[in-house]
Amino acid sequence: RSEEVSLLQTAAAAADCSAVSPISVTLKKADQKQRLGFSFSTVAGPGAATRMVVTEILPGGLLDDWNQRYPQQAVQVGGTIATVNGADTLDEMVGGLKSMAATLVVRPTWNPGLAEVADSVSAIHRLSEAKLEYSVVGVAHAKSA
């Protein structure tokens, strides 16, 4: 388990998106049953930070609708959600996603340089050797092994 956490931290550190300009997205639900239309995974970041990374955008959902209306500010798979309704802790961000209106600050998909790719590929290879499921979106994440 500690090796898994260490590998995730390595991959997350390699995928630091702090130099990329964020996108502010406001998604408003028509009713409480409506879904925002995306899936995410959490990844351990530098220090105690946990990153929320978009892993899937569902067709017909609110985020898909946003992407179609604002293609220059589209959120892509691999984008990192920095805050939800101004909150930056995981519990508060998840709570914000349940509200009727959620304003997400998203750092666009990581655009790596060659050194960062080599570091991430190395970390992903080690995840593969640990027989964990992973996804290459600039950030590795583990699902239940």
Side-chain angles (χ1 to χ4, degrees):
R1 180 78 181 143
S2 64
E3 181 179 335
E4 176 183 332
V5 170
S6 175
L7 292 173
L8 289 173
Q9 288 172 334
T10 299
D16 183 10
C17 301
S18 59
V20 181
S21 297
I23 299 166
S24 182
V25 178
T26 299
L27 305 174
K28 295 181 181 179
K29 298 178 185 177
D31 60 56
Q32 196 60 23
K33 292 180 183 178
Q34 190 172 17
R35 302 285 182 185
L36 297 177
F38 68 93
S39 300
F40 65 89
S41 182
T42 57
V43 178
T50 299
R51 296 177 182 192
M52 188 181 281
V53 179
V54 177
T55 58
E56 180 181 21
I57 299 172
L58 304 171
L62 290 175
L63 186 56
D64 182 47
D65 183 52
W66 167 274
N67 284 346
Q68 289 180 32
R69 279 198 257 156
Y70 306 101
Q72 298 298 337
Q73 294 183 312
V75 175
Q76 303 296 322
V77 169
T80 303
I81 300 172
T83 66
V84 177
N85 295 342
D88 62 358
T89 66
L90 183 60
D91 288 341
E92 291 175 330
M93 288 194 296
V94 170
L97 294 176
K98 296 175 184 176
S99 65
M100 292 298 290
T103 299
L104 316 174
V105 174
V106 182
R107 295 206 181 275
T109 304
W110 173 57
N111 187 7
L114 188 57
E116 290 85 358
V117 169
D119 289 344
S120 291
V121 168
S122 175
I124 290 168
H125 178 71
R126 287 179 289 177
L127 282 171
S128 176
E129 287 177 344
K131 299 189 186 310
L132 298 173
E133 185 174 343
Y134 61 91
S135 173
V136 180
V137 292
V139 178
H141 69 276
K143 296 182 179 180
S144 57

